[in-house]
Amino acid sequence: MVSGDDVLLQVDVPAGSDPAKVSVLLNGFDVTGKFRAKTGENALIGLMDKSEAKYTLGPGSNLVVARYDTDKGSGELTLSNHAVSGPVFSGPHERPFVCETASFVLPDGSSLGNPLNWDVCSSSTRTQYVYWSTSQQRFVPTTTPNSLPGDAGWITVEGRNVRFVVRIETGTINRAIYQIAILHNPAADAAPSPFAQPSGWNRKLVYSFGGGCSAGWYRQGTEVGWDSGYYERNGPMQLLDPELLKRGFAIASSTLNVFAQNCNEVLAAETMAMVKEHFIEAYGVPRYTLGWGCSGGAYQEYQIADNYPGLLDGLIAGCSYPEVSFTTVHFMSDARLLNRYFNGVYYPGPSFSDAQKRAISGMVSVGTLQLMDDGAADRIGVGDCPAVLPWEDRYRLGDNPGGARCGVFDHSVNVWGTRPNPLNPGPDPLSPNTIARRPLDNTGVQYGLKALNAGTIGVDQFLDLNERIGGFDSEGNPTAEGGALPAPRSVADAATLPIAYRSGRMLYGGWGLKNVPIVDYRVYEDDSAGGGFHLRYHSFVIRERLLKANGTAANHVMLLQGSAPTVFSSQSALVRHALDQIDEWLTAILADSTTDAQAVKVARHRPAELREGCVPPGSSYPAFRAETLTPGSGSCASWYPVSFGTRAAAGAPAVLDVAKCQLKSVDTALGDGTYAVSFTPGQQNWLKSIFPSGVCDWDKRGEGQPSAAEYQSLQPWQTFD
């Protein structure tokens, strides 16, 4: 799959054969003249572009044929060419979609202006330069990169002394605004191309992923990359990380790789694939591509590495979550339900101490419940719209039922599919009456089960909690608002459950992820009185997924510290250490010419200096406690306590990979050791009235969840029509 009518092709020539005897045809036209010998390899490389019609790919299928000495051997490759505006594999474009090129600020302070084509939000490509000012200690725009001022910095990259001047390319791909930053001194280097790389580039690419999720839909966006622009906070140079650039890395990203603007893992993967393709065609193939980001950026790293293998070769993921639709959605939606129950929002209930609330919720800080309720849980509803989306385009049940529903599942409707809107069945067959199906479910979940069995809460408290907590209706409103008892639970649309696993929306960990080095970095937030967005247990969930899928997590290293300048940035000495170590790790893997499996190579070459552990409280790196991190033992667990969230506190295993649990009857649960306490006959009847269909059987796979053998038969790189 390629896009934009162009492609960089490589023809490998058998050992002992003469590359000069190779001819190449594209759709029947001889394009051999576009190829040249590849330095250091018995191969040819050529860029098919738009310089002549015969070199340009047509829409759809294109056939490339390479022949040796006319009739002594040949090879074929079919390319599926897509528009540069997309889509490639994410399915039909989301509409409405707000173009924001006029609001996108370039390094010199100008904007991209109005789009050339409003339908796909396209713009012309711009190139600007900045240099590192040693006197101002920041990047400064310049229109004369061939003639730099005296305070323009110098850096050394792999033994080469080069000017610290950066070329920034900005354009549009897949309706996203992309940027590429690369060291390039036009006074000393030729114009960049796949055949002439800048002397300052170390031939390595960092792809930067931005965080967020709420209101991340129906817009093009105005920010790119992880907010590593702390030197120019949210300014026009937000992509430029001095620590990455001075090491020689190129950096790429796009507005649809910032989850605050696009909270859709498939669309993010597609956009990254298209931007990386363009990078290769413009600058050449990087030695490796490193993922870089935090929170919503980490979602993208894990999902892309596992479900779209080949795009990312290694990950530095900060403030990790495994995925959006399950671990994260369960975290924030359960927090809303519990917070409102504990606060008696709908009706008063029994009182709970803070210790009991912590035990029920699986949180170190009770403040996290309020924080999630206030700051994150709206994304499962229909009204979490970005400010740029016009009022007249938004869904309103009463007067605009066909408008844009602003929620995380609606934004991924290409993945989940649609169903009739139960609140607006639409007697007119032409009326808009469908909504996205959703996998949200808490049927049978016994909130506070572990707290009950530990004696932290009483039976009546447990029963009242589960009777009143409820779930969410199709609009994302808590069902407890209605007053019915027991409050109805959320019920997943059955068709979404096999999709969740087959598509990798529930992170598997056994496809591409097992073959990439992962550094999981976290600044500790769990015990904050005001709550934390990024809790430690999400890192352990990722480890459990790797262990379950692969039997090992040798490619996964966790680093933890108590404080840092921001939740993730190269200002942290520990992050810089991780960057240097993963560079060494990836370089060693690339140099391994054995035929061993990639996962074996990854485990073999983990650097000795990349030790798992934490920075002691009140200290800063290089102060470090090296130990294997676990939830319940060791110095790091003592200094930085961790719990396992609401679903684990309800009895789910730590891997948290069940979208919807299978059920067992209450009678079975009462007799099989599910409960460590006794229920009176009245309490047993109460329990049965709360769970008439049964309670979660966590010893079984989830509904629609593949077995280990079935998972191995599934394939990544799915296309959504």
Side-chain angles (χ1 to χ4, degrees):
M1 296 179 289
V2 296
S3 61
D5 305 334
D6 52 6
V7 62
L8 185 67
L9 289 169
Q10 177 169 313
V11 180
D12 292 328
V13 183
S17 301
D18 183 2
K21 294 184 178 181
V22 173
S23 60
V24 185
L25 302 178
L26 173 62
N27 296 326
F29 292 99
D30 190 329
V31 295
T32 309
K34 292 286 283 185
F35 284 80
R36 65 183 71 184
K38 188 176 182 183
T39 304
E41 298 183 34
N42 203 39
L44 299 173
I45 188 168
L47 179 65
M48 301 299 103
D49 56 19
K50 302 173 187 176
S51 57
E52 291 184 32
K54 69 177 182 178
Y55 302 134
T56 304
L57 274 64
S61 294
N62 293 259
L63 180 63
V64 182
V65 178
R67 294 174 178 166
Y68 183 73
D69 202 11
T70 308
D71 59 358
K72 292 184 179 179
S74 66
E76 293 186 358
L77 177 68
T78 299
L79 302 174
S80 178
N81 178 41
H82 302 260
V84 72
S85 57
V88 176
F89 56 78
S90 70
H93 279 154
E94 177 178 72
R95 300 191 186 280
F97 191 79
V98 179
C99 299
E100 296 182 82
T101 52
S103 300
F104 189 90
V105 182
L106 296 166
D108 68 355
S110 64
S111 82
L112 281 174
N114 287 330
L116 302 176
N117 182 329
W118 286 90
D119 187 56
V120 295
C121 300
S122 60
S123 76
S124 59
T125 302
R126 315 289 176 83
T127 300
Q128 297 185 354
Y129 282 84
V130 299
Y131 69 91
W132 182 260
S133 167
T134 57
S135 60
Q136 300 180 55
Q137 288 296 294
R138 66 183 185 91
F139 287 111
V140 176
T142 178
T143 58
T144 58
N146 286 290
S147 178
L148 297 171
D151 73 335
W154 290 83
I155 53 176
T156 301
V157 178
E158 297 181 342
R160 301 182 297 274
N161 199 28
V162 298
R163 298 304 293 266
F164 201 173
V165 58
V166 181
R167 182 185 195 268
I168 304 168
E169 176 187 334
T170 307
T172 52
I173 290 175
N174 204 25
R175 302 199 301 176
I177 301 168
Y178 76 88
Q179 281 193 324
I180 293 169
I182 190 168
L183 291 169
H184 177 247
N185 180 7
D189 295 326
S193 80
F195 316 108
Q197 285 87 23
S199 58
W201 181 34
N202 65 8
R203 312 300 196 274
K204 302 165 187 175
L205 174 64
V206 168
Y207 205 95
S208 182
F209 298 96
C213 183
S214 295
W217 19 81
Y218 302 109
R219 61 176 299 197
Q220 184 178 41
T222 59
E223 297 190 10
V224 293
W226 172 250
D227 191 12
S228 55
Y230 45 81
Y231 289 92
E232 300 278 346
R233 192 73 176 177
N234 291 321
M237 301 184 201
Q238 58 196 287
L239 188 70
L240 305 185
D241 186 314
E243 291 293 336
L244 294 173
L245 289 165
K246 77 181 186 182
R247 286 166 168 78
F249 290 101
I251 309 173
S253 190
S254 86
T255 54
L256 293 186
N257 289 116
V258 176
F259 253 31
Q261 297 162 165
N262 165 46
C263 193
N264 177 325
E265 296 150 334
V266 177
L267 181 56
E270 176 182 77
T271 306
M272 188 252 165
M274 295 174 74
V275 172
K276 183 177 177 181
E277 178 198 346
H278 169 70
F279 179 92
I280 289 170
E281 292 160 355
Y283 302 94
V285 181
R287 295 173 184 167
Y288 67 69
T289 302
L290 175 67
W292 175 269
C294 170
S295 190
Y299 295 141
Q300 298 175 73
E301 291 186 66
Y302 290 120
Q303 288 279 320
I304 291 171
D306 204 34
N307 299 318
Y308 304 93
L311 294 179
L312 291 171
D313 302 298
L315 315 179
I316 296 182
C319 28
S320 295
Y321 293 99
E323 72 271 317
V324 175
S325 301
F326 300 100
T327 308
T328 307
V329 163
H330 292 167
F331 168 39
M332 67 186 188
S333 61
D334 286 350
R336 170 164 284 181
L337 298 177
L338 287 168
N339 188 59
R340 297 189 179 191
Y341 171 77
F342 288 142
N343 291 338
V345 171
Y346 308 116
Y347 24 61
S351 61
F352 292 82
S353 67
D354 281 355
Q356 291 175 320
K357 293 176 183 177
R358 288 193 294 270
I360 292 167
S361 66
M363 309 294 176
V364 174
S365 170
V366 175
T368 296
L369 299 177
Q370 188 71 52
L371 182 67
M372 289 296 102
D373 191 356
D374 293 341
D378 284 346
R379 71 186 67 166
I380 65 168
V382 297
D384 192 24
C385 297
V388 295
L389 184 66
W391 174 256
E392 59 269 21
D393 289 338
R394 303 182 187 191
Y395 169 88
R396 293 180 298 281
L397 181 62
D399 63 349
N400 193 23
R405 291 167 61 94
C406 297
V408 67
F409 300 119
D410 300 283
H411 184 45
S412 298
V413 66
N414 291 352
V415 173
W416 304 120
T418 61
R419 66 180 177 94
N421 185 343
L423 302 181
N424 181 50
D428 179 353
L430 298 179
S431 66
N433 63 346
T434 61
I435 62 175
R437 297 186 302 213
R438 68 178 191 183
L440 183 63
D441 195 280
N442 68 343
T443 303
V445 174
Q446 299 187 84
Y447 291 96
L449 177 61
K450 287 189 175 180
L452 172 70
N453 287 336
T456 307
I457 62 173
V459 174
D460 285 351
Q461 287 176 304
F462 170 76
L463 293 170
D464 189 86
L465 164 66
N466 281 284
E467 182 177 51
R468 297 179 183 272
I469 193 168
F472 296 92
D473 66 17
S474 60
E475 306 282 270
N477 301 309
T479 58
E481 292 178 347
L485 293 178
R489 297 294 185 96
S490 302
V491 181
D493 292 297
T496 65
L497 298 173
I499 292 172
Y501 300 103
R502 186 177 66 247
S503 70
R505 296 315 99 207
M506 175 75 79
L507 184 71
Y508 169 42
W511 289 325
L513 200 61
K514 68 177 181 291
N515 291 325
V516 300
I518 304 165
V519 176
D520 182 314
Y521 165 83
R522 187 174 298 278
V523 176
Y524 186 68
E525 298 181 15
D526 294 49
D527 66 351
S528 171
F533 283 103
H534 310 108
L535 304 189
R536 279 194 70 201
Y537 79 86
H538 295 111
S539 293
F540 289 106
V541 171
I542 292 163
R543 175 157 294 177
E544 292 294 326
R545 301 273 180 94
L546 291 168
L547 288 168
K548 182 175 180 179
N550 310 309
T552 177
N555 62 324
H556 185 240
V557 179
M558 288 189 278
L559 301 177
L560 176 66
Q561 65 183 119
S563 61
T566 67
V567 291
F568 179 78
S569 85
S570 59
Q571 281 187 307
S572 164
L574 187 55
V575 172
R576 294 195 298 273
H577 167 70
L579 177 61
D580 293 338
Q581 291 299 306
I582 203 167
D583 180 39
E584 179 181 328
W585 197 352
L586 285 164
T587 300
I589 294 168
L590 289 172
D592 189 333
S593 59
T594 68
T595 58
D596 292 335
Q598 184 70 7
V600 173
K601 295 181 182 182
V602 171
R604 176 187 298 149
H605 293 293
R606 174 176 157 183
E609 291 301 309
L610 183 56
R611 300 169 298 169
E612 185 162 286
C614 67
V615 175
S619 303
S620 58
Y621 190 80
F624 192 74
R625 172 72 177 189
E627 62 181 35
T628 300
L629 298 184
T630 68
S633 63
S635 297
C636 296
S638 175
W639 294 329
Y640 304 111
V642 62
S643 55
F644 257 97
T646 54
R647 297 294 167 106
V655 69
L656 294 182
D657 62 350
V658 172
K660 177 181 176 65
C661 65
Q662 293 194 54
L663 302 178
K664 59 185 177 183
S665 70
V666 170
D667 283 332
T668 298
L670 287 167
D672 69 1
T674 296
Y675 309 105
V677 297
S678 298
F679 291 76
T680 67
Q683 290 169 334
Q684 291 183 29
N685 290 334
W686 190 0
L687 182 64
K688 292 175 183 179
S689 72
I690 297 168
F691 297 106
S693 300
V695 297
C696 285
D697 187 344
W698 298 114
D699 292 329
K700 295 180 179 178
R701 299 198 307 269
E703 295 281 351
Q705 186 174 20
S707 66
E710 290 168 337
Y711 251 128
Q712 294 303 312
S713 69
L714 299 175
Q715 298 294 322
W717 279 95
Q718 292 197 20
T719 296
F720 298 88
D721 300 321

